């Protein structure tokens, strides 16, 4: 809030615009509730607005079921988004952004395999090595990138990479991937595309397209920020800015969407809304109220360092709310 106050006082932004950008590859859990309350809450406090934007750039893991579940959870928590948007809305624009970078000799098509690219990256303590395809001509890269879009090449045959610095101290700046080939139907665009942008390329540009003033995300994306800023600077587009906060860690609680998906897929739980699951739908089914989750998120606040919150605080918040609102009945258990 201090950052936002400073930005508004200096005239950097007139309206606070945030976004909640879930990937529709699973149901939301209690950790997402913190992000929802933060993004929607800040926009409301400053009389701005928050978009709900689905980062649907990976057709392998994404489903319409997850989109609907996410919308239901956000609404249940008591928040209303200004616009319902999808990264897939911008596929054509993102493609043109990539073409612009190729024309500026800032991106190239690479035929290296995933293993070769990983080796080329080097290590955090040693510089990487340049790809043998790094110095292709602009015309050659434009032709090959169009061939990728037209479906001429197989999955994994080629990728588009940004041309930055293979000796950069930040591994994410060592010629990161921008596009990969995936011959797979997308839950919204069908078979219109067979190349899909990587998260790091799609995210910042989507923020910019929507004029997001404050792009709030968790601390693991802090090392991605230089790349976020590099793409925006090279394209000369609206300068959205990224700010990071510590994700929620809860004692005795699995907070990995990948591991929660494994529980569902292996039938170890009764679906995503099993009352034992830390998903928002699971908590709802267990008897938690929207206000109890919002109060919990308000109590834990926003931190810049990783920490672990005791699950007892979450349970206290629901007891506190139910003590005020729950209907009470007198029953005789053993007449």
């Amino acid at each position: 809030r201090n950052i936002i106050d400073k930005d508004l006082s200096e005239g950097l932004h007139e309206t606070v615009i945030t976004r909640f950008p879930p990937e529709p590859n699973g149901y939301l859990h209690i950790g997402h509730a913190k992000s929802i309350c933060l993004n929607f809450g800040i926009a409301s406090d400053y009389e701005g607005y928050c978009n709900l934007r689905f980062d649907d750039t990976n057709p392998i893991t994404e489903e319409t079921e997850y989109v609907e579940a996410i919308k239901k959870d956000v609404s249940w928590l008591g928040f209303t988004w200004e616009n319902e948007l999808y990264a897939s809305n911008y596929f054509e624009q993102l493609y043109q952004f990539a073409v612009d970078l190729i024309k500026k000799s800032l991106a190239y098509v690479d035929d290296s395999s995933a293993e070769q690219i990983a080796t080329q990256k080097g290590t955090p303590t040693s510089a990487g090595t340049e790809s043998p395809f790094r110095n292709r001509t602009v015309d050659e890269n434009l032709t090959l990138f169009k061939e990728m879009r037209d479906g001429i090449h197989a999955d994994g045959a080629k990728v588009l990479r940004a041309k930055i610095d293979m000796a950069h101290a930040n591994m994410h700046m060592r010629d990161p991937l921008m596009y990969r080939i995936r011959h797979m139907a997308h839950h919204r665009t069908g078979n219109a595309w067979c190349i899909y942008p990587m998260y790091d390329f799609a995210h910042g540009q989507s923020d910019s397209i929507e004029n997001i003033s404050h792009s709030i995300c968790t601390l693991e994306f802090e090392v991605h920020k230089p790349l976020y800023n590099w793409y925006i600077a090279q394209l000369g587009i609206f300068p959205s800015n990224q700010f990071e906060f510590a994700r929620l860690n809860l004692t005795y609680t699995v907070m990995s969407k990948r591991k929660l998906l494994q529980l569902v897929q292996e039938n170890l739980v009764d679906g995503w809304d099993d009352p034992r699951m830390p998903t928002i739908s699971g908590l709802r089914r267990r008897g938690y109220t929207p206000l109890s989750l919002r109060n919990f998120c308000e109590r834990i606040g926003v931190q810049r360092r990783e920490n672990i919150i005791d699950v007892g605080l979450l349970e206290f918040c629901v007891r506190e709310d139910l003590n005020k609102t729950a209907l009470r009945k007198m029953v005789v258990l053993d007449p």
Side-chain angles (χ1 to χ4, degrees):
R1 284 177 167 78
N2 290 339
I3 291 169
I4 293 173
D5 289 338
K6 182 174 181 291
D7 289 346
L8 293 174
S9 66
E10 293 178 354
L12 190 62
H13 301 288
E14 294 182 0
T15 305
V16 173
I17 306 173
T18 61
R19 83 288 170 269
F20 174 59
E23 184 179 352
N25 61 356
Y27 281 49
L28 301 181
H29 56 62
I30 182 64
H32 294 108
K34 177 180 178 180
S35 181
I36 293 169
C37 291
L38 180 58
N39 278 289
F40 282 91
I42 282 181
S44 175
D45 289 349
Y46 287 90
E47 299 182 345
Y49 64 84
C50 182
N51 291 334
L52 175 61
R53 183 179 74 234
F54 294 95
D55 255 319
D56 56 346
T57 59
N58 186 0
I60 291 176
T61 59
E62 296 159 356
E63 297 179 15
T64 302
E65 173 196 349
Y66 298 142
V67 171
E68 296 304 317
I70 289 169
K71 288 160 61 176
K72 180 179 180 179
D73 287 345
V74 174
S75 296
W76 179 76
L77 281 171
F79 298 108
T80 303
W81 50 89
E82 181 76 8
N83 302 293
E84 180 184 324
L85 302 167
Y86 298 81
S88 54
N89 291 352
Y90 313 130
F91 278 173
E92 183 61 43
Q93 199 161 354
L94 292 170
Y95 177 84
Q96 293 304 324
F97 283 154
V99 169
D100 288 345
L101 291 178
I102 291 174
K103 289 179 178 177
K104 293 178 179 179
S105 293
L106 295 173
Y108 62 97
V109 174
D110 195 342
D111 297 0
S112 303
S113 67
E115 293 76 17
Q116 289 170 328
I117 290 174
T119 302
Q120 291 166 10
K121 289 266 189 177
T123 69
T125 56
S126 62
T129 55
E130 294 185 358
S131 165
F133 306 98
R134 195 174 195 264
N135 295 312
R136 278 174 161 157
T137 65
V138 169
D139 288 341
E140 187 179 4
N141 282 315
L142 289 173
T143 299
L144 290 172
F145 190 42
K146 185 176 186 305
E147 288 179 359
M148 287 170 60
R149 175 177 181 168
D150 292 342
I152 294 174
H153 303 288
D155 289 8
K158 298 179 187 299
V159 294
L160 183 71
R161 297 176 69 179
K163 188 188 290 187
I164 306 180
D165 181 1
M166 291 304 292
H168 201 286
N170 187 329
M171 296 286 285
H172 294 282
M173 298 294 282
R174 297 184 183 180
D175 289 12
L177 270 60
M178 294 170 57
Y179 271 88
R180 75 286 213 202
I181 302 171
R182 284 202 171 145
H183 290 273
M184 176 172 285
H186 186 275
H187 73 103
R188 292 189 71 244
T189 61
N191 293 305
W193 292 85
C194 62
I195 58 170
Y196 294 94
M198 302 298 292
Y199 172 86
D200 277 334
F201 182 61
H203 188 70
Q205 281 57 262
S206 298
D207 283 347
S208 182
I209 291 168
E210 296 169 18
N211 289 337
I212 300 301
S213 62
H214 298 83
S215 178
I216 304 168
C217 60
T218 47
L219 272 177
E220 65 260 36
F221 291 102
E222 187 172 24
V223 291
H224 297 247
K225 185 171 183 174
L227 181 56
Y228 180 103
N229 292 336
W230 186 87
Y231 281 131
I232 286 176
Q234 300 305 322
L235 290 167
I237 53 180
F238 177 83
S240 291
N241 210 341
Q242 176 179 301
F243 303 92
E244 306 85 17
F245 69 96
R247 63 182 297 166
L248 171 62
N249 295 302
L250 207 57
T251 56
Y252 313 112
T253 308
V254 175
M255 301 291 280
S256 163
K257 197 191 293 185
R258 178 177 54 81
K259 292 178 180 177
L260 295 176
L261 175 62
Q262 184 180 349
L263 291 174
V264 174
Q265 290 178 332
E266 295 180 7
N267 295 318
L268 297 171
V269 294
D270 182 25
W272 286 96
D273 65 346
D274 188 303
R276 296 167 293 179
M277 292 279 273
T279 54
I280 294 175
S281 56
L283 292 169
R284 178 166 62 240
R285 189 174 165 196
R286 199 189 308 179
Y288 278 78
T289 62
L291 185 58
S292 67
L293 296 188
R294 294 204 306 273
N295 286 343
F296 170 71
C297 292
E298 185 176 347
R299 284 174 184 270
I300 62 176
V302 182
Q303 305 84 24
R304 276 282 301 171
R305 60 180 176 81
E306 293 290 349
N307 57 7
I308 301 178
I309 305 297
D310 195 306
V311 72
L313 178 59
L314 176 62
E315 294 167 344
F316 168 80
C317 288
V318 73
R319 283 197 300 271
E320 182 182 50
D321 186 36
L322 291 177
N323 274 334
K324 299 174 184 175
T325 61
L327 295 174
R328 284 167 168 76
K329 304 289 184 184
M330 178 181 175
V331 297
V332 180
L333 295 177
D334 187 10

